Amino acid sequence: MGTAQAAPVAEDCVGVTEGRYAGTFTAPGQTHCLELPSPQGARIAALTSRGGAGLTVQVEVVDRNGTAQCTAGDLAEGVCGLTGTAPFRALVHADDTEATGPYGVHFVRTDVLQKECRTLPAGTFADDSGTVRLETGNGVFSHCLTIPADAHSTSELLRIRYGFPEDGELIPRYVVSMIDTDGDGPSCYSHPTANQPIRTDGLTSCSFSAGKAYTVLVHGQDAPRSHTLDRWDVTATARGCAVSPATAVGAPAVTSASGQSGTPRCHRITTSAATDRLRLDARDAHDSTHTLVMDGDGGIACYQKNLACAPTNSTSYQVVTQVPDGWDLSDSYRLDAWKIATAAGPAPECVRPASIAYGYGPLTGTLSEERTGVCAALPSVDDDRFRADITATDGGTYAPVPSLYTKDGTNLCTGRPPSYDCQASDQSLYVLALPDGTERTAYRAELVCTTAPCGGEEVTIGTITPTTVQSGTVATLTVQGTALGMSTTVDLTGGPAPLTATTVSVSDDARTLKATVDLRTAPAGNWTISVRALRHQYAAGTLTVTPPAVSGLGTYKPVTPTRLMDTRSGLGVPKAKVGQGGTVTLQVAGTAGIPASGVTAVVLNVTATDPTSASHVSVYPDGTPRSSASNLNFTAGQTIPNLVIVPVVNGKVSFYNNAGSVDLIADVAGYYTTDGSGSSYKPVTPTRLM
């Protein structure tokens, strides 16, 4: 017997052939010498059992002079090059020097394809025609297969399905190695699955060299197991891929049957230009379908996961789907394949808000299999941050999933419903997508800027109009500036007590704000205006408040009788009965021949129809306190008119209903103005005389 340090004499070695060798240690501490048939320059593998029956042994290879040829790792991977002087000898000893019993070594030459190694055929994703079954146990712990030089693409996907013992006592340990005839291995990546430390259906993607033949070594355990090995082309020439073009954002998905657990399926998604960016996502009832996305050359565009990905730089993508063993299996899944951007920018269906100074939204709507998503191209800048508040409004448990994509396709939203943290970049793409687990969800979604103002904007205050208003009115102030928001307030000081205007609207570009201020009891004089925005106060000039007009004084001008209001049809006011204690306000100035300014009162024929109970209606100037006097009294079901002369404030008059609900109609007969001609009218506060 020999050792790794001293070459055994030839007569102490047993000559072996390439293939499996079975030996037995009959006494502790033995080292067996096996003389190999391999010539100088050959490349070999020496595989030993990784557990199960028989002894665990170590193998070293030396030449006739005792010079070591390679490491144990080289032997396991099949890259042990025999560079010394033949004959070459394998020295085998047990891990446990006191152990005796049977062992095995599998010798495979890898610099040329071996006839004893079965061919691993290329499969098709449409069926299992390329599957090779491998058995272990009874002294068999390894297999070799070959891939001929003209029988593979430059990018392949392999699946090894390891047999798992029912008793679970022997944890599976297997390694798959590949080596071409020049001694180089392909570049491979094993795709793990979360919470699955032992893969029984593992996927490995490999890049092969064109025109090179490969030996595949499956190195495992001497245990009774059944395994399968498959390989598939995953370039644009992959067989069994269903082909469909990328769609617009929110278009219906492609629906496919899930098949069996662990079985890959393939879809080829095409697009018109390599500069297009797609969003690919597989959805199912259990959120179990994983995707591995390869580009047209078979390069990995997105690693296997059950999240959406956004690849670019190819005109076709092979989307390989798989439900890993042990995950809940749905009958079918849906594949969204949206074109979210081109070289020209985000997809045309993505809305483009003019400002995101304080956020975007809220948006409300419904996503379904007919409309699977919506998007917006945000004018954001680096370091903008948002809180995405997403809720289901239909009582369901599934809300849309938000994404905020950078130009390189990275989604910078993290979190769980109903709130996510989203970091923006230059020109972010905001996407809301239908989630796994449901086919429909109604939603409310709002992006709130947490670093306001977002979008690179700064708060500026320009003009505020009007500069003169009349006391005794509710005035509307219009503020021009930038980065204005609903939280922006307009303050007036200089009177007996400060006044704060109520912000009622902000334009989409955040440049125009409207706020109302109650001046019905404000004294005349000059008021100082300031604007508060984002904890800063900005001086904004002076507002002159003039004494109130002598309401109602003027001359009467008749007009052709014209209907201004009808709550039955929605004329002039919203279409709806006026409910108990309800008020509707009608714009009269600037309509039906009535001037837009200078009008002090109008003459209206007011009709109540189809009341649900006895009630009365009061007609009074807009923005003024309503008295208890009535202009029209009626019983349930009655239709009754009355002529009303009512002062005009802010160009409007209001109608109040005391009880039940009723439809109201108003026809104008004329108006009073201050031009000094015609009949004069002097109003008094409406008072009940009898």
Side-chain angles (χ1 to χ4, degrees), residues 149-459:
D150 58 354
H152 62 79
S153 71
T154 55
S155 184
E156 303 262 331
L157 184 67
L158 284 80
R159 178 187 63 170
I160 178 71
R161 307 198 79 176
Y162 302 131
F164 200 88
E166 294 183 3
D167 57 17
E169 291 183 0
L170 182 63
I171 301 301
R173 296 179 61 212
Y174 292 90
V175 173
V176 176
S177 301
M178 285 175 284
I179 183 72
D180 68 20
T181 51
D182 290 336
D184 299 318
S187 174
C188 295
Y189 181 83
S190 180
H191 299 278
T193 297
N195 302 321
Q196 197 174 53
I198 300 175
R199 290 300 304 273
T200 58
D201 55 1
L203 298 180
T204 300
S205 53
C206 295
S207 299
F208 290 88
S209 298
K212 296 289 183 69
Y214 288 82
T215 297
V216 181
L217 303 174
V218 182
H219 184 193
Q221 298 167 315
D222 185 356
R225 310 276 173 75
S226 180
H227 323 287
T228 60
L229 187 61
D230 308 83
R231 70 178 177 94
W232 298 274
D233 176 9
V234 285
T235 68
T237 58
R239 296 189 298 159
C241 272
V243 182
S244 57
T247 68
V249 176
V254 174
T255 301
S256 295
S258 294
Q260 298 178 341
S261 282
T263 300
R265 292 287 182 262
C266 182
H267 300 263
R268 180 176 301 116
I269 304 300
T270 60
T271 188
S272 55
T275 51
D276 294 343
R277 185 172 295 282
L278 307 188
R279 181 186 183 276
L280 305 170
D281 185 28
R283 298 179 284 107
D284 64 48
H286 302 296
D287 192 16
S288 296
T289 303
H290 286 47
T291 56
L292 173 61
V293 182
M294 321 298 288
D295 61 24
D297 296 327
I300 300 174
C302 299
Y303 290 90
Q304 188 185 34
K305 54 188 175 180
N306 55 340
L307 301 173
C309 72
T312 189
N313 295 325
S314 183
T315 56
S316 72
Y317 298 90
Q318 288 63 252
V319 183
V320 178
T321 62
Q322 183 196 46
V323 177
D325 191 34
W327 288 57
D328 292 332
L329 181 66
S330 302
D331 291 336
S332 62
Y333 63 91
R334 292 173 173 84
L335 178 64
D336 294 319
W338 303 336
K339 183 188 296 186
I340 60 175
T342 66
E349 57 269 24
C350 298
V351 298
R352 288 159 170 77
S355 173
I356 55 166
Y358 298 92
Y360 175 59
L363 306 178
T364 58
T366 299
L367 296 184
S368 66
E369 293 301 342
E370 291 73 40
R371 181 175 175 79
T372 54
V374 295
C375 62
L378 305 183
S380 59
V381 296
D382 291 343
D383 299 326
D384 283 348
R385 296 191 76 93
F386 298 91
R387 186 185 72 248
D389 297 328
I390 317 289
T391 56
T393 58
D394 54 4
T397 58
Y398 298 97
V401 177
S403 300
L404 200 60
Y405 288 109
T406 64
K407 287 184 178 179
D408 65 2
T410 302
N411 174 23
L412 295 181
C413 277
T414 59
R416 293 178 177 274
S419 185
Y420 299 79
D421 178 65
C422 300
Q423 182 176 345
S425 64
D426 179 35
Q427 298 295 313
S428 299
L429 184 61
Y430 178 50
V431 173
L432 286 177
L434 190 66
D436 288 81
T438 186
E439 295 181 353
R440 179 177 295 272
T441 178
Y443 66 91
R444 181 186 187 277
E446 183 173 14
L447 279 180
V448 179
C449 175
T450 58
T451 55
C454 288
E457 297 184 72
E458 295 182 359
V459 176

Side-chain angles (χ1 to χ4, degrees), residues 563-580:
R563 181 151 297 176
L564 297 183
M565 181 180 77
D566 191 337
T567 62
R568 299 171 303 176
S569 63
L571 175 65
V573 294
K575 180 181 177 181
K577 285 179 179 290
V578 183
Q580 178 173 333

